[in-house]
């Protein structure tokens, strides 16, 4: 089966510009997560979707970050305006909605550099 | 609150030698524990997971991990390391009660020398 797809893989922007990342989860996976991984740190959850609804966005800096999953499949994460500290890899993960396995499948990530 | 500590930032091991990566977790109930591996420029790949039952779990690529509740640990081991095992390893904790929102440790970078 196809894995989690993310694009773009790399993006370089200047501070105060905007950027958007796209994620296509594994087919049939109802739960989708966006994680931020700053260099030298473990991934940190930004937002979780269940189908097209937000389950948890408590860690999302809502003054500059936004995310949506309009049709319960693809998702977009946007940053506007970007700051230097937003330089990180943005990982998308998906999970089938069962309460047994709990395994998250990760995409390869989108690496953002803010200059 | 759930959290994970990986005490070792970087480990260097000779090819063919054994490897052990430490992981300590904090979680109020029965934890679901995971080890992921990340090669440079790649996403995270699941090595193994522990939900319940046998405390010694086997994973892919010859890795195993042992859950020790008394020590709040879930250490990862491999008897004989290959050069391709050079990567970053992350321990994570989650649970169905919080919809598997994983909390990750800071990671351990493994370097394999010939």
């Amino acid at each position: 089966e196809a894995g989690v797809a993310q694009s773009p893989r790399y993006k370089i922007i200047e501070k105060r510009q905007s950027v958007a990342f796209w994620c296509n989860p594994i087919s049939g996976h109802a739960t989708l997560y966006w994680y931020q991984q700053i260099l030298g740190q473990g991934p940190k959850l930004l937002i979780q979707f269940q189908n097209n609804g937000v389950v948890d966005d408590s860690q999302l800096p809502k003054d500059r970050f936004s995310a949506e999953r309009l049709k319960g499949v693809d998702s977009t994460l946007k940053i506007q305006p970007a700051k230097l500290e937003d330089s990180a890899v943005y990982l998308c993960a998906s999970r089938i909605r069962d309460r047994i396995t709990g395994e998250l499948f990760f995409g390869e990530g989108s690496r953002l550099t803010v200059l | 609150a759930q959290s994970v500590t990986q005490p070792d930032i970087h480990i260097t091991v000779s090819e063919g030698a054994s490897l052990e990566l430490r992981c300590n977790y904090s979680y109020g109930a029965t934890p679901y524990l995971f080890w992921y591996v990340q090669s440079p420029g790649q996403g995270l790949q699941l090595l193994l997971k522990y939900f319940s039952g046998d405390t010694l779990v086997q994973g892919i690529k010859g890795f195993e991990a042992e859950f020790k509740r008394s020590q709040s640990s879930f250490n990862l081991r491999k008897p004989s390391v290959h050069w391709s095992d050079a990567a970053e390893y992350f321990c994570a904790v989650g649970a169905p009660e919080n919809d598997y929102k994983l909390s990750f440790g800071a990671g351990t970078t493994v370097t394999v020398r010939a």
Side-chain angles (χ1 to χ4, degrees):
Chain A
E1 79 187 341
V4 176
Q6 291 189 246
S7 68
R9 289 292 313 277
Y10 305 92
K11 188 74 176 179
I12 300 174
I13 62 174
E14 295 188 350
K15 59 183 178 182
R16 291 188 289 274
Q17 288 187 323
S18 62
V19 63
F21 302 113
W22 172 83
C23 172
N24 181 238
I26 293 173
S27 178
H29 283 198
T31 309
L32 185 147
Y33 310 79
W34 282 101
Y35 281 83
Q36 180 192 55
Q37 184 178 17
I38 294 173
L39 185 65
Q41 299 180 19
K44 288 183 170 56
L45 180 69
L46 290 175
I47 189 168
Q48 177 189 354
F49 291 93
Q50 185 68 35
N51 297 310
N52 61 347
V54 175
V55 174
D56 184 354
D57 63 356
S58 59
Q59 300 302 309
L60 189 73
K62 298 180 188 64
D63 58 333
R64 298 180 299 103
F65 285 66
S66 64
E68 60 184 14
R69 194 184 183 198
L70 292 176
K71 297 183 178 179
V73 180
D74 294 6
S75 178
T76 302
L77 176 70
K78 297 179 181 178
I79 308 174
Q80 181 179 13
K83 292 185 174 181
L84 296 178
E85 59 260 37
D86 298 331
S87 294
V89 176
Y90 292 86
L91 294 165
C92 179
S94 69
R95 180 176 68 82
I96 194 166
R97 192 185 184 186
D98 72 75
R99 293 178 67 82
I100 299 174
T101 64
E103 178 178 351
L104 272 63
F105 293 83
F106 284 84
E108 292 185 325
S110 294
R111 181 179 297 276
L112 173 65
T113 301
V114 182
L115 303 175
Chain B
Q2 59 189 41
S3 66
V4 171
T5 301
Q6 293 181 247
D8 304 304
I9 297 173
H10 190 199
I11 286 179
T12 298
V13 60
S14 297
E15 192 169 15
S18 64
L19 174 68
E20 181 167 13
L21 304 182
R22 296 183 291 164
C23 170
N24 294 99
Y25 69 89
S26 174
Y27 189 72
T30 300
Y32 284 45
L33 295 159
F34 306 81
W35 274 100
Y36 281 85
V37 61
Q38 186 177 37
S39 297
Q42 303 297 311
L44 295 163
Q45 180 184 20
L46 182 69
L47 284 176
L48 47 78
K49 58 193 176 189
Y50 171 78
F51 290 162
S52 63
D54 193 348
T55 57
L56 185 64
V57 293
Q58 303 296 321
I60 62 171
K61 304 185 180 186
F63 285 91
E64 67 178 24
E66 186 172 13
F67 170 63
K68 293 185 177 179
R69 184 185 298 276
S70 62
Q71 299 177 19
S72 297
S73 70
F74 188 56
N75 294 348
L76 182 72
R77 298 192 293 256
K78 185 169 185 178
S80 179
V81 169
H82 187 261
W83 63 266
S84 60
D85 294 322
E88 191 156 19
Y89 293 79
F90 293 95
C91 182
V93 63
E97 298 85 61
N98 70 355
D99 223 6
Y100 295 105
K101 285 189 284 284
L102 297 184
S103 294
F104 286 85
T108 298
T109 299
V110 173
T111 298
V112 180
R113 59 182 175 220

